[in-house]
Amino acid sequence: MTDRKYLVTVDHELCVGNATCLRAAPRAFELNEGGQSEAVAPDTETRENLLEAVLLCPMNAISVTEVETGQRLEPEA
Ligand code: SF4
């Protein structure tokens, strides 16, 4: 069992480090030394903010999976 609610990943093949995700979900992401986003504390953010980050990322680099269901969450268009 895990207490984590969300598994958030950033594809570093795609991330261009423009920090849009940090503005949408500032507690969940930070830029690493290479200037790319890392999901550091996704469970401290609301589902809405995480999905906003997915929606606003220009590279579609972020994925959010609900741990309990294994379902990948998609923002509503
Ligand atoms: S919004 Fe997307 S491209 Fe920009 S830093 Fe975040 S993950 Fe990288």
Side-chain angles (χ1 to χ4, degrees):
M1 278 297 274
T2 176
D3 292 335
R4 292 186 64 180
K5 284 189 292 188
Y6 303 111
L7 175 64
V8 178
T9 61
V10 176
D11 186 340
H12 286 166
E13 297 291 322
L14 299 174
C15 176
V16 294
N18 69 351
T20 300
C21 55
L22 278 74
R23 288 191 285 278
R27 293 188 297 272
F29 299 97
E30 64 183 34
L31 293 186
N32 64 21
E33 290 179 355
Q36 290 188 305
S37 177
E38 300 273 359
V40 290
D43 284 349
T44 63
E45 275 292 353
T46 63
R47 180 187 180 108
E48 289 72 25
N49 283 0
L50 292 174
L51 291 180
E52 183 83 351
V54 172
L55 181 67
L56 294 178
C57 174
M59 303 305 292
N60 289 325
I62 302 169
S63 72
V64 177
T65 302
E66 197 168 48
V67 171
E68 188 176 352
T69 63
Q71 181 184 8
R72 183 169 170 170
L73 304 181
E74 301 287 349
E76 292 179 19

